[in-house]
Amino acid sequence: MHLIGTLFGMLHSVEDSSALNLLVEVLVRLVVELKSEQYLHCILDESQKELCKATTMRSSLPTFSLLGKLADAIPGFADILVVKHNNLVDHLLMGLTYPNESIKAAVCYLYGKLYSSPVGTERLSGHFEERLYGVFLNTLECAQTKELQVNCLGLLKELLKSDHFVSILMNNSKTEEETENPDFLEGENPLPLILKKLLLTRDEMLQAASSHCMAAVLVHSPSRYAPAFIHADVPEFLFECLLSKSEILIWSVYCCLLLLTEERLFFSKCHTVYGIESLVRSLQGVLLLNNVELHKQGLLLFTEILKRQPMEIKLFTNRGVCIEAIDVLMETVNCPVLEVAVEAVKAVAAFLRKDHLSCPPVPYEELQKLLEAVLKRCADLSPPQSSKRHAGDLLFSVSQSHPTNRNLGRVPQRQGQFLLNTLESFRNACRLAVQFQGDFMAQENAFTAPNSESKDTLSNFSEFLLRICDSLCIPMVMSYLERAVSPSVTEVFISALNTLFTVVPSMRNKFSKKLASSSFIRLTLELKARFCSVQSNPVLNHTCSSFLCSLCLNLYSATEKRRTSQEEQEMSELLLKGLPQLNYTIAESLLLLSETPEPFFLDQSLCSHQHCFILLLYFAYTFGDRFVPDAELFLAVRNFLLSAQDHGDCPPPHILRAALYLLAVCQDKGKALDVRSLSTIKRILDNLPDLSLVYVHCPLLLKFFLRYPELMGRFGHQVLQLWFSWEDCKQTEAEEADCGTSSQLNTANPLLPILKSNSSILLILLDLVSSSSVEVAWKVLMTLRTFLERNEDVLVCDLLRSRFLQILQQLLVESSSATLQANRNLPVLLSLLFLVQLRSKGIRELDSTDLRLLHQVSNLCGKCSPRDTDLLQPSLNFLYWSLHQTTPCSQQRAVAVLLSNVSLLELLQKVLECTWLWSPPSRPAHLSSEDALLCSGWLLVASFLLIQHRYNTEVHQTLSVDLTEVLNAVIFRNKKPILLLVSIMQFLRAVLRQNFSSSLLVIVGQNKAPGATQPQPSSLQDTALHPLAMQQVFSLVVSLQNLLVHVQLQKDLLLSQAVVACLETLVEYLYVKNQDVALHVASQPWHRFVLFTLLSGGQKSFLQPEVLRLMTLFVRYQSSNIISQKEISQIIQEAAEANIAELSEATSCALHLFLSQIQSSHYHVEPEQSEIIQTLLDRLLGQRTTCVKHQDIVCLGSVAVSLSHIRD
């Protein structure tokens, strides 16, 4: 004790500061080591005495320093001092008033220790309020030395821990009017000004302490204390401090500003506008530091400012700062630390507001990059989707396999939060795009250079949102749904999808179709059933209901061709009213659909629920989301219709349309409808003013109506009329052209298999041809044509012929020549008529219907001009068929009917003349419509010549032909199509056979065309060959030889047969007129070259039709220089070794002619060869009697050609 007293006395006698510090340290160490309150009380008593007897306050400094050190070293010292030695406190107050900052600093330090103790705070509360408050604030305000400033701030920090002291310091007992008066605040509330003064110093430690104290005040009640700091302009200086490099200072300022953001005045005074640039630059600097907590705090402050900034006060007045902010957000989103990235995504969500980005031009490109970075970062956190299941399947599997709480536990909480914030960012971006649609200045960059296209446009940004939603956002959420289902996540996700409908209006329907086909209707219904039952999660329920309503209305707009605004309004009202209450599972909804209302009471809510569910099923099934078993749905919809009819409730047309569609779609999996159900459907439909109100253009609905005789008989005509009114026949034709198999064709034209299974529908179709519009009739005819082309086994020709006759008669009676040419359906009808005739296998007798059709078609041709190719082509084909596919008796009657029609012959005269008038096409291989008509004209005239001569039919009108033109056409060819050459050669064969003497034909010999071959003055040979000349004969023979070489190159069997037949006929004609000339022509050495050219082809066999017929010709006219005995033997040997049954019909006929010619000629054959020839002839004769007759009339392009006419 004596030692302590001695040491204490030395404190006041030693003046050296180092010695004083040493004495203080010894005393503190001594008291601490002795661990006895007795010695502590001794020092406190001595201190009391010393302070009382001190003549000046300067001498008290060692005492204050010692007490401060003891307070540091001994935990309970402050409690002992204020409880048992509280008189010392009065001396402390006196020390604060003494004009010595060292003493004040020591006193403040000791005060700080005293107020850090709960006991000291309680005991000294009155002391502070009554005596210390004013002195302390004055000391703090006037402090000059850093030691005093620091100790004062230390004391202030301890005081600010108490709400009572804060209230005293902030002098908060003011009225609201006084709070709004900045002058009053500045005069009566000095603490904010004092702290602001410290912020103005260059000392970062004092600035940090000052901002820390401000935060300590604000944390008690920002709304009470923030106005004082705001009116003192403290935020302005806080933002300035953000330019510092001190992490402690920046942290303190972040904390203080974060608390200030809770006060509206902070924003209305535009402090955020002033400081946003400093904050952004601060974040840029902070990101260079390795301080995760500082990153998070800065982003949190940025987020709060972005969220709380009033819309009427623009935060970013400088586009450059806005771009810098986007760069900061981009960098923090990509930060590898997840906690920082989470805060960054929150900031992005708050940043995407119109008022933050309304400074033109809007940086759309930067926003795209930012959003893409956010979504990719979130996608990187989520595992890939395990399977490509639809949305409804994902939710269904999660809901069935795992409870909600267990699912949420499977996904880390931070990842779930990150996904939620990401979706909020995306939703805000979508809302931003919608808001900018009404702002002309935001549509595109106004500073784009002239004549250049800017990518920085709202349109590109909107398309980007739709694209990235499809590629990133939806797959990411689907992956999340595999593991958990969170109401908050799904609410934001569904809300974003709903907003996307209006982001790109032109893509709304396409986007809606994709969502529907991806099972989003099912997903949303499952969400409502799981989270929104019993009036829970009203926000999610409203979002899902709104999304379903928008989706259904968009799908209605996209799929319903004849939609009306009234029906759309009714549907919208129904969905808006019924969807919020439709929170049932799929199974419950099906039961609800089958539920029957109570008798005499129409339950409107039940009807509303049923109608809503039917609409949802309709749109889901339309796009392939068949999430209800077909059989169960079929039964439920049937019961719904039965119940509605039983209670006299007639559902509106759009509900009936949906119900009928669902019945049609599920029909294959459900049982056939019974009589009662069919009667109910008939009664419901009979009450409709127009069947089109419930019609859906769907093959299954068409099949549904045509499946039941009860429905087909009553509504078949109307349904088919609607089907063809809606059907795009051009598209169907293109699809048919691409279809290789019958199944593909049935998919392209679904009516075809229905027609095949029920040919009685043809009667309805034929009735539509005559009773419907031109457009519908054309589509019906096109369908019938396709049906007949693809289904040769259906026997309907007789039915169709008689009906076609009626239609044709009606058209001819009602129409003039001009209207016939403008009739679009007539060409298709005529094509169909020819197709029906073409379906007849073999030769048949023409009945009265055929002859009447022949008469009508020939009259129609007489009303046309050669330019009416679409009418004439099928007509001439029909006439040509009628002459060649019938018996001799019918053939005689048919040619009599046709030759009696003068107008028909006049038309044919014009067609033949067009051969020399129309310019040749640029591509000789291509058969144009004009060339096709010329082919049919020459073939028909050749047939007339042949048959008229055969039966000596009476002629009422002659045809005239320039022989030189005909010969020149074959000789020079002049790029004429092959088929046209064949047709002209058929005509030439016909006139050669008749020796140019026909009552139907007048030969004209003069040709005035420049460069044409003219016959020379007659010689003896020319006179014998008249009207041919020797020069023409030799030119014609050379041309035919060249054509045979051309045949070898082009592999054209039809041309080869025509050329050989023409050569045969020419030699026959010459043999009759002048045998020497005929033998000379038959023995031309060039024939042998042509023959070997034909033999050098791919087959390299004598058993070719054209080779055998040429050989026959040379044998007949004994052209030994062309064909030798050796070659004849080779042919016989090859024929003997060949399989006769495998030879084509043309080859068999040619071989038979050749062998017969050998037998009857003067060629010497061995006896063995004679036996072989006879055996081959017998086998060929038997083969010809047993072989199946192939179709003689074929269509080459659009030209009907009889193969026997060309060959025989």
Side-chain angles (χ1 to χ4, degrees):
M1 191 72 71
H2 176 72
L3 177 61
I4 291 174
T6 303
L7 292 173
F8 188 83
M10 292 176 64
L11 283 175
H12 302 90
S13 59
V14 177
E15 295 184 358
D16 183 60
S17 59
S18 58
L20 283 173
N21 291 336
L22 182 60
L23 286 172
V24 170
E25 185 178 349
V26 170
L27 280 170
V28 171
R29 185 68 177 272
L30 184 62
V31 174
V32 170
E33 292 295 334
L34 293 174
K35 297 181 181 180
S36 173
E37 284 191 17
Q38 178 184 0
Y39 305 110
L40 184 58
H41 286 295
C42 175
I43 291 180
L44 289 173
D45 290 337
E46 291 297 326
S47 298
Q48 172 70 27
K49 293 176 184 178
E50 183 61 33
L51 290 174
C52 290
K53 70 179 182 179
T55 55
T56 63
M57 190 56 66
R58 182 182 299 273
S59 60
S60 303
L61 179 59
T63 304
F64 293 141
S65 299
L66 174 62
L67 293 176
K69 295 291 185 180
L70 288 171
D72 271 341
I74 301 172
F77 175 79
D79 296 344
I80 294 172
L81 190 150
V82 297
V83 174
K84 299 182 178 179
H85 301 274
N86 58 353
N87 292 334
L88 284 171
V89 176
D90 294 335
H91 296 286
L92 294 177
L93 187 60
M94 293 173 61
L96 277 182
T97 60
Y98 188 76
N100 185 309
E101 294 208 349
S102 296
I103 295 175
K104 291 180 179 180
V107 171
C108 284
Y109 187 82
L110 183 55
Y111 262 128
K113 294 300 178 180
L114 297 180
Y115 279 102
S116 66
S117 164
V119 176
T121 300
E122 182 182 355
R123 290 298 184 97
L124 298 177
S125 175
H127 172 76
F128 175 78
E129 185 175 0
E130 296 170 3
R131 305 178 63 184
L132 179 59
Y133 163 65
V135 176
F136 168 67
L137 287 180
N138 184 65
T139 302
L140 177 58
E141 183 179 8
C142 300
Q144 298 297 319
T145 63
K146 186 173 182 179
E147 182 186 14
L148 178 57
Q149 291 172 331
V150 170
N151 290 350
C152 284
L153 290 172
L155 171 59
L156 180 61
K157 178 183 175 182
E158 297 299 331
L159 292 171
L160 294 177
K161 293 179 181 178
S162 168
D163 186 65
H164 177 64
F165 292 152
V166 171
S167 178
I168 295 171
L169 287 167
M170 293 301 294
N171 195 17
N172 199 51
S173 57
K174 306 177 184 67
T175 63
E176 185 177 350
E177 292 77 8
E178 292 172 341
T179 303
E180 297 294 333
N181 187 345
D183 297 331
F184 184 87
L185 283 168
E186 290 180 10
E188 296 296 326
N189 204 341
L191 183 59
L193 296 175
I194 295 170
L195 295 177
K196 184 175 78 169
K197 180 180 176 182
L198 292 173
L199 288 177
L200 293 173
T201 64
R202 299 294 182 182
D203 193 318
E204 291 183 344
M205 187 180 73
L206 293 178
Q207 291 174 325
S210 174
S211 58
H212 186 79
C213 289
M214 293 180 192
V217 173
L218 294 170
V219 78
H220 288 279
S221 177
S223 60
R224 290 173 59 189
Y225 304 128
F229 291 98
I230 294 170
H231 283 298
D233 292 330
V234 169
E236 176 183 342
F237 298 99
L238 288 172
F239 280 117
E240 293 293 338
C241 291
L242 290 178
L243 300 177
S244 169
K245 302 294 183 182
S246 170
E247 296 181 34
I248 297 175
L249 175 58
I250 295 174
W251 171 270
S252 301
V253 172
Y254 281 167
C255 293
C256 187
L257 289 172
L258 189 60
L259 290 165
L260 287 173
T261 58
E262 299 185 32
E263 172 55 38
R264 177 184 56 83
L265 202 61
F266 178 66
F267 298 96
S268 62
K269 289 290 186 179
C270 296
H271 288 296
T272 50
V273 179
Y274 172 82
I276 190 64
E277 183 173 358
S278 299
L279 177 58
V280 172
R281 300 281 167 79
S282 170
L283 287 171
Q284 288 176 331
V286 163
L287 291 177
L288 301 176
L289 305 174
N290 188 22
N291 190 332
V292 173
E293 294 302 320
L294 195 59
H295 297 169
K296 291 166 56 179
Q297 193 72 1
L299 287 170
L300 181 59
L301 171 62
F302 190 33
T303 303
E304 290 301 316
I305 291 176
L306 291 170
K307 285 169 58 177
R308 296 173 182 268
Q309 179 72 19
M311 296 180 63
E312 62 274 8
I313 302 176
K314 188 182 295 186
L315 182 62
F316 295 97
T317 57
N318 185 342
R319 188 174 185 269
V321 177
C322 184
I323 299 297
E324 290 180 6
I326 294 176
D327 293 338
V328 168
L329 293 173
M330 179 83 76
E331 187 174 353
T332 51
V333 164
N334 293 321
C335 178
V337 181
L338 182 59
E339 296 93 326
V340 176
V342 168
E343 293 298 331
V345 175
K346 290 180 182 178
V348 171
F351 179 75
L352 293 171
R353 272 175 38 184
K354 181 182 178 182
D355 49 293
H356 292 335
L357 295 162
S358 58
C359 184
V362 181
Y364 290 117
E365 257 189 299
E366 287 78 7
L367 291 178
Q368 287 186 31
K369 295 176 184 176
L370 178 61
L371 272 174
E372 191 168 11
V374 170
L375 287 168
K376 284 185 176 179
R377 182 64 198 278
C378 188
D380 291 342
L381 294 175
S382 303
Q385 195 172 336
S386 62
S387 61
K388 294 185 177 180
R389 288 181 289 174
H390 280 188
D393 297 328
L394 295 173
L395 180 59
F396 183 77
S397 63
V398 170
S399 63
Q400 294 295 316
S401 304
H402 307 284
T404 303
N405 53 358
R406 191 180 306 170
N407 291 333
L408 295 176
R410 295 179 63 197
V411 182
Q413 187 174 2
R414 284 178 181 170
Q415 290 184 15
Q417 186 63 39
F418 197 100
L419 175 62
L420 178 61
N421 296 332
T422 299
L423 292 175
E424 287 177 345
S425 300
F426 181 74
R427 178 178 63 178
N428 290 350
C430 296
R431 290 175 175 174
L432 185 70
V434 174
Q435 291 168 354
F436 276 141
Q437 288 175 0
D439 188 351
F440 176 77
M441 293 297 294
Q443 299 293 319
E444 60 184 15
N445 190 344
F447 303 104
T448 304
N451 302 323
S452 64
E453 185 177 353
S454 173
K455 295 182 180 179
D456 211 12
T457 63
L458 176 61
S459 175
N460 288 340
F461 180 65
S462 300
E463 291 175 4
F464 159 79
L465 291 175
L466 203 59
R467 187 169 58 252
I468 204 166
C469 176
D470 184 45
S471 61
L472 273 179
C473 191
I474 292 178
M476 183 173 60
V477 176
M478 294 303 102
S479 173
Y480 173 79
L481 290 178
E482 287 185 347
R483 298 165 292 143
V485 183
S486 165
S488 56
V489 169
T490 51
E491 186 274 321
V492 178
F493 175 57
I494 297 296
S495 176
L497 293 179
N498 196 22
T499 307
L500 269 176
F501 289 140
T502 52
V503 168
V504 186
S506 61
M507 297 292 289
R508 174 189 305 163
N509 292 346
K510 185 176 181 181
F511 181 57
S512 299
K513 290 178 181 179
K514 187 161 189 178
L515 290 178
S517 63
S518 301
S519 298
F520 272 84
I521 293 178
R522 178 185 181 184
L523 168 68
T524 314
L525 286 175
E526 291 282 354
L527 284 173
K528 285 169 60 65
R530 183 170 176 186
F531 295 111
C532 304
S533 57
V534 201
Q535 298 183 349
S536 56
N537 291 308
V539 177
L540 176 62
N541 187 25
H542 173 76
T543 301
C544 290
S545 300
S546 178
F547 168 74
L548 285 175
C549 181
S550 300
L551 180 60
C552 290
L553 293 177
N554 292 339
L555 295 174
Y556 172 77
S557 175
T559 56
E560 300 299 334
K561 185 177 179 181
R562 298 181 180 177
R563 62 183 184 276
T564 63
S565 57
Q566 180 182 356
E567 187 174 76
E568 190 169 1
Q569 180 65 28
E570 291 175 358
M571 192 180 299
S572 176
E573 292 175 357
L574 169 67
L575 294 171
L576 289 173
K577 178 182 177 182
L579 283 175
Q581 284 77 42
L582 193 66
N583 299 324
Y584 308 107
T585 64
I586 303 300
E588 291 170 345
S589 297
L590 274 181
L591 292 175
L592 190 71
L593 200 59
S594 302
E595 189 172 334
T596 303
E598 292 295 330
F600 310 107
F601 178 73
L602 195 58
D603 190 346
Q604 293 298 329
S605 69
L606 174 61
C607 288
S608 175
H609 294 167
Q610 290 175 331
H611 293 176
C612 282
F613 189 57
I614 285 179
L615 278 179
L616 293 173
L617 287 170
Y618 168 64
F619 288 119
Y621 269 60
T622 300
F623 293 96
D625 184 15
R626 304 173 75 155
F627 56 88
V628 179
D630 286 357
E632 296 179 20
L633 180 58
F634 185 82
L635 184 62
V637 175
R638 189 205 68 172
N639 291 340
F640 165 75
L641 292 175
L642 290 174
S643 174
Q645 181 66 21
D646 291 344
H647 290 80
D649 175 28
C650 184
H654 54 274
I655 303 300
L656 282 178
R657 178 168 59 241
L660 288 174
Y661 174 81
L662 293 173
L663 282 178
V665 170
C666 302
Q667 174 67 81
D668 291 340
K669 298 294 179 64
K671 296 181 180 179
L673 291 174
D674 54 14
V675 175
R676 181 187 172 212
S677 301
L678 290 171
S679 300
T680 297
I681 293 175
K682 281 183 63 178
R683 283 197 300 269
I684 292 175
L685 296 180
D686 281 334
N687 291 329
L688 291 173
D690 187 358
L691 190 65
S692 64
L693 295 174
V694 296
Y695 176 74
V696 179
H697 192 62
C698 168
L700 292 173
L701 185 68
L702 179 67
K703 183 180 178 182
F704 177 78
F705 272 97
L706 299 180
R707 172 175 180 167
Y708 297 102
E710 298 89 343
L711 296 180
M712 186 180 76
R714 179 66 182 84
F715 306 106
H717 189 283
Q718 299 176 60
V719 170
L720 285 168
Q721 173 94 25
L722 290 168
W723 171 266
F724 285 105
S725 298
W726 288 42
E727 186 72 1
D728 186 354
C729 209
K730 291 182 180 179
Q731 180 181 352
T732 303
E733 283 185 295
E735 290 171 345
E736 288 170 7
D738 294 336
C739 289
T741 64
S742 60
S743 61
Q744 290 174 324
L745 179 67
N746 292 341
T747 303
N749 194 337
L751 185 56
L752 298 181
I754 302 176
L755 278 174
K756 190 171 184 179
S757 63
N758 187 359
S759 57
S760 61
I761 302 172
L762 288 170
L763 294 173
I764 303 177
L765 295 182
L766 292 172
D767 186 56
L768 286 176
V769 173
S770 57
S771 64
S772 301
S773 65
V774 174
E775 184 74 22
V776 170
W778 181 76
K779 294 176 182 178
V780 173
L781 290 170
M782 294 297 296
T783 300
L784 286 172
R785 187 178 73 177
T786 305
F787 173 69
L788 292 175
E789 288 173 349
R790 303 285 176 163
N791 298 280
E792 297 183 358
D793 56 332
V794 179
L795 302 177
V796 293
C797 295
D798 293 337
L799 173 68
L800 292 177
R801 273 200 307 274
S802 61
R803 194 71 185 89
F804 285 159
L805 176 61
Q806 298 174 18
I807 298 171
L808 196 58
Q809 287 175 333
Q810 180 182 351
L811 287 173
L812 291 174
V813 169
E814 295 176 354
S815 305
S816 62
S817 297
T819 54
L820 278 176
Q821 295 164 8
N823 192 322
R824 184 186 178 194
N825 294 340
L826 194 52
V828 184
L829 177 64
L830 292 168
S831 298
L832 196 54
L833 176 60
F834 169 65
L835 189 60
V836 169
Q837 299 293 71
L838 198 61
R839 290 279 299 280
S840 298
K841 301 293 184 182
I843 294 174
R844 69 176 183 84
E845 190 81 26
L846 298 181
D847 56 18
S848 60
T849 302
D850 294 316
L851 292 174
R852 290 164 66 188
L853 282 170
L854 199 65
H855 177 71
Q856 295 293 345
V857 174
S858 61
N859 286 340
L860 173 64
C861 292
K863 296 181 180 182
C864 298
S865 71
R867 291 292 179 185
D868 301 325
T869 55
D870 55 345
L871 285 172
L872 287 176
Q873 188 60 58
S875 300
L876 296 186
N877 286 342
F878 175 76
L879 300 181
Y880 184 77
W881 177 92
S882 300
L883 292 175
H884 287 278
Q885 287 293 99
T886 187
T887 60
C889 180
S890 295
Q891 193 179 61
Q892 184 177 3
R893 295 172 63 191
V895 77
V897 171
L898 296 178
L899 292 181
S900 66
N901 193 323
V902 175
S903 59
L904 171 64
L905 294 176
E906 290 175 347
L907 169 79
L908 289 174
Q909 178 70 54
K910 296 176 183 177
V911 170
L912 299 184
E913 291 172 355
C914 287
T915 308
W916 331 122
L917 300 178
W918 288 346
S919 59
S922 58
R923 293 188 301 161
H926 173 67
L927 194 67
S928 65
S929 59
E930 291 83 4
D931 290 332
L933 180 62
L934 295 178
C935 294
S936 295
W938 284 105
L939 288 172
L940 189 60
V941 171
S943 302
F944 281 171
L945 289 172
L946 179 66
I947 301 171
Q948 187 273 336
H949 179 74
R950 180 182 302 162
Y951 302 110
N952 194 23
T953 309
E954 182 180 0
V955 175
H956 300 272
Q957 175 72 25
T958 59
L959 298 171
S960 62
V961 176
D962 190 329
L963 179 60
T964 307
E965 290 281 13
V966 173
L967 293 174
N968 287 343
V970 179
I971 293 170
F972 298 107
R973 297 199 295 277
N974 196 20
K975 296 184 179 180
K976 283 184 169 53
I978 296 298
L979 187 57
L980 182 55
L981 282 175
V982 170
S983 304
I984 295 175
M985 281 191 283
Q986 285 304 108
F987 171 81
L988 185 58
R989 283 183 63 201
V991 295
L992 285 170
R993 281 185 174 183
Q994 298 175 30
N995 295 324
F996 296 99
S997 60
S998 171
S999 58
L1000 178 61
L1001 186 68
V1002 176
I1003 299 296
V1004 180
Q1006 273 304 327
N1007 181 23
K1008 300 179 181 179
T1013 303
Q1014 302 288 353
Q1016 298 298 320
S1018 298
S1019 63
L1020 291 176
Q1021 290 178 332
D1022 290 344
T1023 302
L1025 300 179
H1026 184 79
L1028 293 178
M1030 281 297 297
Q1031 181 184 356
Q1032 291 175 322
V1033 169
F1034 289 133
S1035 298
L1036 182 58
V1037 170
V1038 171
S1039 178
L1040 293 175
Q1041 290 172 337
N1042 291 337
L1043 280 172
L1044 281 175
V1045 175
H1046 177 81
V1047 166
Q1048 175 59 31
L1049 297 175
Q1050 299 295 327
K1051 309 298 181 185
D1052 194 319
L1053 179 62
L1054 185 70
L1055 178 61
S1056 68
Q1057 291 179 350
V1059 171
V1060 172
C1062 188
L1063 188 60
E1064 290 172 343
T1065 308
L1066 176 62
V1067 175
E1068 288 176 2
Y1069 172 80
L1070 294 176
Y1071 193 80
V1072 172
K1073 295 290 185 179
N1074 190 327
Q1075 291 186 8
D1076 294 337
V1077 173
L1079 294 175
H1080 175 72
V1081 169
S1083 302
Q1084 284 288 321
W1086 191 255
H1087 288 321
R1088 187 167 180 81
F1089 170 77
V1090 172
L1091 191 60
F1092 279 106
T1093 302
L1094 294 175
L1095 288 172
S1096 65
Q1099 294 185 18
K1100 296 182 179 180
S1101 168
F1102 284 103
L1103 299 183
Q1104 302 177 47
E1106 59 270 18
V1107 173
L1108 289 170
R1109 291 184 67 171
L1110 282 175
M1111 291 289 193
T1112 305
L1113 178 66
F1114 300 144
V1115 169
R1116 180 183 305 165
Y1117 295 102
Q1118 302 176 8
S1119 304
S1120 57
N1121 64 325
I1122 306 299
I1123 180 171
S1124 64
Q1125 186 69 40
K1126 178 182 178 181
E1127 287 156 350
I1128 293 175
S1129 300
Q1130 286 180 354
I1131 296 175
I1132 295 172
Q1133 183 64 30
E1134 186 177 344
E1137 295 174 356
N1139 186 350
I1140 299 298
E1142 294 180 356
L1143 296 179
S1144 66
E1145 184 179 357
T1147 304
S1148 298
C1149 292
L1151 181 59
H1152 187 275
L1153 288 173
F1154 174 76
L1155 295 174
S1156 299
Q1157 187 65 46
I1158 292 294
Q1159 276 189 335
S1160 62
S1161 67
H1162 301 289
Y1163 275 89
H1164 176 72
V1165 292
E1166 299 293 334
E1168 294 179 358
Q1169 290 181 333
S1170 297
E1171 293 180 5
I1172 293 174
I1173 291 173
Q1174 187 59 47
T1175 303
L1176 288 173
L1177 287 172
D1178 294 340
R1179 289 172 61 189
L1180 287 170
L1181 185 61
Q1183 179 72 17
R1184 293 178 65 181
T1185 57
T1186 59
C1187 69
V1188 179
K1189 290 288 183 180
H1190 296 284
Q1191 181 73 22
D1192 181 53
I1193 298 286
V1194 296
C1195 282
L1196 303 178
S1198 56
V1199 181
V1201 179
S1202 170
L1203 298 180
S1204 60
H1205 183 206
I1206 303 297
R1207 180 180 63 243
D1208 298 340

